[in-house]
Amino acid sequence: MSLVRPMRISFGTLTDRDVLLVRAQTENGTEGWGECVAFSAPVYSPEYVQGCREVIERFFAPAILGRGEIRAEEVSGLLEGFLGHQMAKATIETALLDAQLKENGQSFGSYFGATRSEVDCGVSVGIASSIDRLLEEVSLYVAEGYRRIKLKIEPGWDVDPVAAVRSAWPMIPLQVDANQAYALSDTEHLVRLDRFDLLLIEQPLNEHDLLGHAELAKRMQTPVCLDETITSLADARQAVALGAAEIINIKPGRVGGYLESVRIHDFCKESGIPVWCGGMFETGIGRAANVALAALPGFILPGDTSGSSRYFHRDVTQPFVLEGGRLKVPQGPGIGVTVDLAFVEEITTEVWRIGAV
Ligand code: OSB
Ligand code: MG
């Protein structure tokens, strides 16, 4: 699917998304959907669409299909012997969870322990060709009601664009995301962002640099938030213990699924670490589940859970539309949204059938 607004990040420009969808079927014929959040190329994390497809087909599906009837809660244990590949694992677990909850008539939100019926939404804004263009784009989002703006930054595109947005909207909740573009030696420069009253700075340094993030967190007033670094509850525990994460962005695909996301949420809530729900340009399928997760009580900051129109001309479910800067948590069973099968078929490029389907 092509993106309505291409997003430039320090690692490149995303103009479209190749979306891998898993459709699982139970013995009773109930269907469940999982959306894989990997991009076509391994630029955000080591995973990529065709790699996910391969690892699912070759390793994960046989391990699961060989077990007869299994519950979604058993998936991560069954796949534990296969290392990494969190996004692929999350896809399988989510598809099975959707089918399971549809059979029980329970929504994702209710199953996760959601305490809100709607969630505050933010929007992530890519690196623009000029500050004027950036201000134009941000003003569209502000007019649409977004409750928080996130600006992508990189060396050469940081203090000036942030200053311009802050002076145009003195009160708007504002944060920045560097996608690992800086080094600890940039600390003095990054400290210049402290004057803009930012909610947080996301993933300033390399994903493996826990000690660097801890050091930077001591030297910056702006709270340091981790995204790419956190691929599990164990990572979250270590980052928090080291002082490397004052806030955590939870992306369910990155951490191996919604069940691990809930565990990270619970740990962070106990530890006084705010969390928020990140995004990976999900279609309505992944978005529905993200919005349900973002309704948990520890998600105290607005997420990158934007409306469908920020991403696609047409979504594969009913579109998510902001109302007063919020999205409603779907209440129906499972993901709670209906997949437009005819449209999915129309845009499908390849199909793999695995098992007795
Ligand atoms: O780092 O959060 C990120 C998009 C692609 C890759 C990485 C990131 C992002 C975003 C956009 O910030 C999130 C979204 O709106 O889905
Ligand atoms: Mg990020």
Side-chain angles (χ1 to χ4, degrees):
M1 302 170 82
S2 59
L3 291 175
V4 166
R5 215 168 265 112
M7 158 96 82
R8 189 158 97 66
I9 301 181
S10 57
F11 58 69
T13 303
L14 299 164
T15 52
D16 52 32
R17 252 201 88 199
D18 251 338
V19 188
L20 175 65
L21 297 175
V22 166
R23 181 179 180 183
Q25 204 176 73
T26 68
E27 287 183 347
N28 308 331
T30 308
E31 281 183 351
W33 290 88
E35 172 175 345
C36 182
V37 298
F39 297 124
S40 327
V43 287
Y44 162 81
S45 82
E47 293 186 86
Y48 62 101
V49 172
Q50 288 296 342
C52 290
R53 196 268 302 159
E54 154 99 9
V55 79
I56 288 172
E57 197 176 9
R58 194 155 164 201
F59 300 106
F60 299 169
I64 284 166
L65 293 169
R67 288 295 173 133
E69 244 177 67
I70 71 150
R71 297 185 58 76
E73 293 84 351
E74 297 171 279
V75 170
S76 62
L78 274 174
L79 301 181
E80 205 172 30
F82 299 118
L83 307 181
H85 295 284
Q86 286 84 350
M87 293 175 180
K89 288 176 178 174
T91 310
I92 300 272
E93 184 191 82
T94 308
L96 294 187
L97 186 62
D98 184 31
Q100 184 174 312
L101 294 183
K102 278 178 175 143
E103 290 195 341
N104 299 344
Q106 189 178 20
S107 68
F108 267 42
S110 145
Y111 174 85
F112 295 155
T115 51
R116 290 187 284 260
S117 59
E118 44 182 27
V119 301
D120 287 354
C121 297
V123 62
S124 176
V125 185
I127 292 163
S129 53
S130 69
I131 289 185
D132 283 347
R133 287 285 178 85
L134 176 72
L135 294 175
E136 276 170 33
E137 191 177 342
V138 172
S139 58
L140 291 177
Y141 293 132
V142 171
E144 284 179 54
Y146 283 100
R147 290 176 173 257
R148 174 278 271 158
I149 302 293
K150 159 169 141 183
L151 303 180
K152 292 288 183 181
I153 58 167
E154 66 179 6
W157 182 264
D158 46 34
V159 175
D160 293 345
V162 173
V165 171
R166 177 46 88 214
S167 92
W169 294 278
M171 303 303 286
I172 199 146
L174 185 63
Q175 65 192 52
V176 294
D177 184 1
N179 290 106
Q180 319 184 47
Y182 295 87
L184 190 57
S185 55
D186 296 317
T187 301
E188 251 181 72
H189 181 71
L190 290 173
V191 163
R192 296 176 60 202
L193 294 170
D194 279 342
R195 74 181 83 135
F196 302 114
D197 190 26
L198 302 178
L199 288 169
L200 57 91
I201 178 168
E202 183 179 344
Q203 199 69 44
L205 311 178
N206 182 272
E207 60 182 331
H208 302 294
D209 194 0
L210 283 165
L211 297 178
H213 281 107
E215 184 61 34
L216 185 65
K218 276 192 224 144
R219 300 211 235 151
M220 278 189 95
Q221 270 168 36
T222 306
V224 169
C225 168
L226 293 183
D227 173 357
E228 286 92 320
T229 299
I230 308 298
T231 66
S232 64
L233 172 60
D235 284 346
R237 283 187 189 283
Q238 280 199 72
V240 169
L242 286 168
E246 299 169 289
I247 297 176
I248 290 179
N249 162 339
I250 301 183
K251 284 183 186 169
R254 199 191 64 228
V255 303
Y258 289 89
L259 304 183
E260 188 78 347
S261 299
V262 172
R263 289 188 281 269
I264 295 174
H265 160 272
D266 295 348
F267 160 71
C268 287
K269 191 158 175 289
E270 262 167 44
S271 314
I273 298 292
V275 301
W276 55 282
C277 184
M280 292 289 284
F281 297 135
E282 287 88 346
T283 71
I285 296 174
R287 192 162 307 282
N290 284 355
V291 168
L293 181 70
L296 269 66
F299 284 78
I300 60 177
L301 294 166
D304 282 343
T305 45
S306 309
S308 299
S309 66
R310 188 256 171 271
Y311 307 96
F312 310 113
H313 291 286
R314 179 172 169 189
D315 210 331
V316 301
T317 61
Q318 59 270 47
F320 280 83
V321 179
L322 253 64
E323 279 173 45
R326 300 195 171 100
L327 286 180
K328 288 207 170 65
V329 179
Q331 299 296 321
I335 58 172
V337 287
T338 307
V339 178
D340 182 342
L341 290 174
F343 182 51
V344 168
E345 220 158 274
E346 201 181 300
I347 60 177
T348 294
T349 51
E350 291 175 275
V351 177
W352 295 272
R353 293 182 196 279
I354 311 172
V357 287

